[in-house]
Amino acid sequence: MNVHTVLQHAAMASLTCTGPRTIGPDQKPMRAEKPPSQQIEQSGLVEPVDSALSQLSITMPTKRISSVDILPSIGPDLNDINASIVKREIEKECKRSVRHQLDLIKERQQKAISERLASQRNTELQKQRHINSRTRREESDKLIEKQAEQLAKVELEAHQREQKALLKQNNQKLHLLIVEGVSRCHRRFCSKYELVTKLFLALDKETVQACAAQNSELRELAQLFDQLVEKLKKGGSDPPELSCVFTAEQYCQRLDKLEENLHKQLSEQHQQQLDKAKKLAEEQEKQRQAEAEEQQKQQALKEQQLAAERKATAEAAATAAQAAPNTEAPATSAPAQAPAPATATAPTQASISTSYVHPTRLAFYNEIIALYQSKVDAVKPLQTDETWKKYRTNCQRTINLPLNAITATSAQHLKNNFDKLYNFFAGQPVRTTDGSTITINDHPLARDYCILLMAKKFVSQTDTAISSNPQAAFPFASVIVTFWKLLPDFGKIFLAYMYKESPYLVPYVIPQQPDQTPEQYLKTMGYRITENNQLEKPDMFLKRQTGIARLYAAVIITPGRQADGPYNCFGLEEAWGWLTHIMQLKPLPDICATMIMEMLQTLGFELWHAYGMNFVKLLLYIQNIYMPQLSAYDEGGPKTRLEMLLSKFLRERQIPQAMGVLPPGFW
């Protein structure tokens, strides 16, 4: 407690006092000693306040007033006054402290309440935000789900449309493949059917009756195939089944088996006829020998009789001479009997071994070469007549110019060059480069001369265009096939030139004659001799033979002009026959492997589709049987390339179609 304040209160209290002053500046201090009990009592008055203050946890700056410091007075007890003052001060201070504490407590309570309310508001706000966020998220999820459903629906519809379009496209492709497969089988069937029909027409009535079962089956197969083709032509909404191709293949196989059985039966009948003919010939030979022996006996008897007559005549003449010795006997000369002329039999030509050529191919080769030689001999008067030299030159130019321009650039380009050639052979006038006009009818031998000239020119393209560009063979082949249909002699003359350049196309391994030199023999086998009498190099020979084989193969598989029909005069069966025949011949190094490889590369795709597993068996035969035979004679590059090619074909189970093949109906 502040002393100054206490003193002020004491001064105020002294004004009310009636006794003498005990304090003041002019009074001396009076010190009164009090007993210890009073000090204790006084101290006891203060302790409750201190204890109260201590209980209220109020710290106040207090200063104890001892009894020594209080001056004795006559009025009210100073200690009581001090105690009351202190007590009031303490009470005020306690009240202030209590109020302050209460205010603090109230403030803390208010703050706590505010914080709690704020926390509740924040909690509610967060909860509301969470609810709003969840609501927005749910709405967003629903919107996303709706958009996803719409997008999925759109994608599903697009996918379904794509699937339908793809299914339609696949059905169309499948339909085209099925139609193409049946078409190939139909062409093969028609070709085989025509051959079998021709075979039946060539038979006599008795043989046809013996083959009535095969004839009936042939008609049945034709009707079944026609029904299958009609079913494909009618079509419908649904694509044809793939089984149609297998059915067509079965019909072709049945026809092949029918032909095989027919040939077998005909061979048996032919063998029986041969046996009968042989027996009949033996009987006739025995009868002839018996007749000859009888004639010899009669001749000997006649000679004996004649000798007896001559002997009797001689005896009669001798008797007459003895009877009339002076008479000159007439000179009798017995007619000398002319000896019987010896029947000289022309020696038969030695048959060529089948290791060089098959008999049927040799007969065909001889027929072609004979026709060619007859044409060459026939046009010699025109070819050697100098007065027709200019006409021959103009014919050559008329043929060479459009023939050299033949390419597959476009159908119209090919048609224009063909028309120029065909119009000349049809007799139409053609203006030459020198301004004159010629026709093929200007000379009676001009047609054969121009056929020979054009066939030779086509074959010469193998040296220039085809050997360096394999695709160029197909437009030339298309024109050749068309001319073959229109001028049958042209096709045979063309084959003759091909066989002269490459007898391996027959196939024919011409044997060397005893009087031939190696150069002469190689010339007959297709080698060329230069003007300097030098032999053609092997690599150039193989390159030229490759070009010839390409053109030959292209003629087999290339259709001609559409207007002249689909029939091919030199069909795929020629390629099959060539492959089967060359397997039977004695292999030659390099050239055999080169020709077989070129044929397979150009014709393999068509042969595989036409003959199926039979062609695969042929490839296996070449790989497993023919190649070991070829290895005994050939170890060069062509044989190695052929081995690799066969392995590739058999491993991939397919042969790609040759590049540049003209599609059906190209022009």
Side-chain angles (χ1 to χ4, degrees), residues 36 58-59 74 174-175 182 195 205 237 249 263 267 307 362 367 371 395 399 461 496 510 546 606 613 620 667:
I58 298 174
T59 58
I74 300 172
L174 179 62
H175 180 269
V182 174
L195 293 176
K205 185 176 181 180
S237 58
E249 180 65 25
H263 280 293
S267 299
L362 180 61
E367 176 186 353
L371 176 64
C395 288
I399 291 173
Q461 295 296 323
I510 302 176
T546 300
E606 285 75 13
M613 287 304 300
L620 291 172
W667 63 299

Side-chain angles (χ1 to χ4, degrees), residues 58-126:
I58 298 174
T59 58
M60 295 174 57
T62 60
K63 181 177 179 183
R64 286 189 175 272
I65 302 174
S66 65
S67 57
V68 180
D69 296 330
I70 299 174
L71 296 176
S73 65
I74 300 172
D77 192 0
L78 183 60
N79 291 329
D80 294 337
I81 294 171
N82 290 337
S84 62
I85 293 171
V86 170
K87 186 177 181 179
R88 284 195 302 270
E89 290 294 332
I90 291 172
E91 287 177 356
K92 290 181 181 180
E93 190 69 28
C94 288
K95 289 179 180 180
R96 283 196 302 271
S97 177
V98 168
R99 283 196 298 271
H100 179 69
Q101 291 294 330
L102 291 175
D103 291 339
L104 291 175
I105 292 171
K106 188 176 181 180
E107 184 179 354
R108 285 195 296 270
Q109 289 177 351
Q110 292 293 335
K111 185 176 181 181
I113 292 170
S114 299
E115 289 179 355
R116 186 167 60 252
L117 293 175
S119 176
Q120 290 177 357
R121 285 195 300 271
N122 289 335
T123 304
E124 292 176 357
L125 184 61
Q126 290 179 359

Side-chain angles (χ1 to χ4, degrees), residues 354-405:
T354 55
S355 61
Y356 294 104
V357 64
H358 193 273
T360 58
R361 301 303 298 173
L362 180 61
F364 181 70
Y365 171 78
N366 290 333
E367 176 186 353
I368 294 297
I369 296 300
L371 176 64
Y372 162 78
Q373 193 62 44
S374 65
K375 295 287 186 182
V376 171
D377 294 340
V379 300
K380 279 184 179 179
L382 173 60
Q383 196 170 7
T384 56
D385 193 347
E386 290 296 327
T387 58
W388 290 90
K389 182 178 180 179
K390 183 178 179 181
Y391 177 76
R392 295 196 303 269
T393 303
N394 288 332
C395 288
Q396 293 176 4
R397 291 175 179 174
T398 303
I399 291 173
N400 291 343
L401 289 177
L403 194 148
N404 290 331

Side-chain angles (χ1 to χ4, degrees), residues 535-561:
L535 188 66
E536 185 179 21
K537 294 183 179 179
D539 56 342
M540 296 301 297
F541 169 73
L542 292 177
K543 182 179 179 182
R544 189 167 52 82
Q545 293 295 321
T546 300
I548 295 173
R550 287 172 184 168
L551 181 59
Y552 184 82
V555 168
I556 292 176
I557 62 173
T558 303
R561 187 174 61 173

Side-chain angles (χ1 to χ4, degrees), residues 44-277:
L45 292 174
V46 180
E47 287 177 0
V49 178
D50 294 336
S51 61
L53 291 175
S54 62
Q55 290 177 359
L56 291 174
S57 301
I58 298 174
T59 58
M60 295 174 57
T62 60
K63 181 177 179 183
R64 286 189 175 272
I65 302 174
S66 65
S67 57
V68 180
D69 296 330
I70 299 174
L71 296 176
S73 65
I74 300 172
D77 192 0
L78 183 60
N79 291 329
D80 294 337
I81 294 171
N82 290 337
S84 62
I85 293 171
V86 170
K87 186 177 181 179
R88 284 195 302 270
E89 290 294 332
I90 291 172
E91 287 177 356
K92 290 181 181 180
E93 190 69 28
C94 288
K95 289 179 180 180
R96 283 196 302 271
S97 177
V98 168
R99 283 196 298 271
H100 179 69
Q101 291 294 330
L102 291 175
D103 291 339
L104 291 175
I105 292 171
K106 188 176 181 180
E107 184 179 354
R108 285 195 296 270
Q109 289 177 351
Q110 292 293 335
K111 185 176 181 181
I113 292 170
S114 299
E115 289 179 355
R116 186 167 60 252
L117 293 175
S119 176
Q120 290 177 357
R121 285 195 300 271
N122 289 335
T123 304
E124 292 176 357
L125 184 61
Q126 290 179 359
K127 187 182 295 183
Q128 186 66 29
R129 288 178 180 174
H130 180 69
I131 293 172
N132 294 338
S133 176
R134 184 172 61 185
T135 303
R136 288 195 298 270
R137 187 166 60 251
E138 289 176 355
E139 293 176 355
S140 177
D141 292 341
K142 290 180 181 179
L143 181 61
I144 292 173
E145 289 178 359
K146 186 177 180 180
Q147 292 178 352
E149 289 177 357
Q150 293 177 354
L151 182 60
K153 184 178 180 181
V154 172
E155 291 181 353
L156 180 61
E157 293 176 354
H159 183 67
Q160 289 177 351
R161 289 195 299 271
E162 184 179 356
Q163 289 293 330
K164 289 180 180 179
L166 184 61
L167 180 61
K168 184 178 179 180
Q169 184 179 2
N170 290 337
N171 289 336
Q172 291 177 354
K173 290 183 179 180
L174 179 62
H175 180 269
L176 292 176
L177 289 174
I178 292 173
V179 171
E180 179 65 20
V182 174
S183 177
R184 288 179 179 273
C185 292
H186 187 254
R187 289 196 297 269
R188 174 185 166 192
F189 184 88
C190 290
S191 176
K192 185 73 68 175
Y193 180 82
E194 185 177 356
L195 293 176
V196 177
T197 304
K198 289 181 179 179
L199 182 60
F200 271 113
L201 293 176
L203 299 177
D204 55 2
K205 185 176 181 180
E206 182 180 356
T207 307
V208 171
Q209 291 178 353
C211 300
Q214 288 82 358
N215 195 6
S216 176
E217 185 179 0
L218 180 64
R219 290 195 298 270
E220 180 184 358
L221 285 175
Q223 292 176 358
L224 292 174
F225 216 118
D226 291 339
Q227 293 175 1
L228 180 62
V229 172
E230 288 297 327
K231 179 181 176 181
L232 287 178
K233 287 182 179 179
K234 290 179 180 178
S237 58
D238 296 331
E241 297 180 356
L242 190 61
S243 59
C244 295
V245 180
F246 297 108
T247 304
E249 180 65 25
Q250 289 176 359
Y251 292 159
C252 292
Q253 292 177 0
R254 286 179 60 185
L255 184 59
D256 293 338
K257 188 174 182 180
L258 185 146
E259 183 190 20
E260 183 180 354
N261 294 335
L262 182 61
H263 280 293
K264 184 177 180 181
Q265 185 173 353
L266 292 178
S267 299
E268 292 176 355
Q269 292 181 358
H270 182 64
Q271 187 64 34
Q272 292 176 0
Q273 292 177 357
L274 289 178
D275 293 340
K276 291 181 181 179

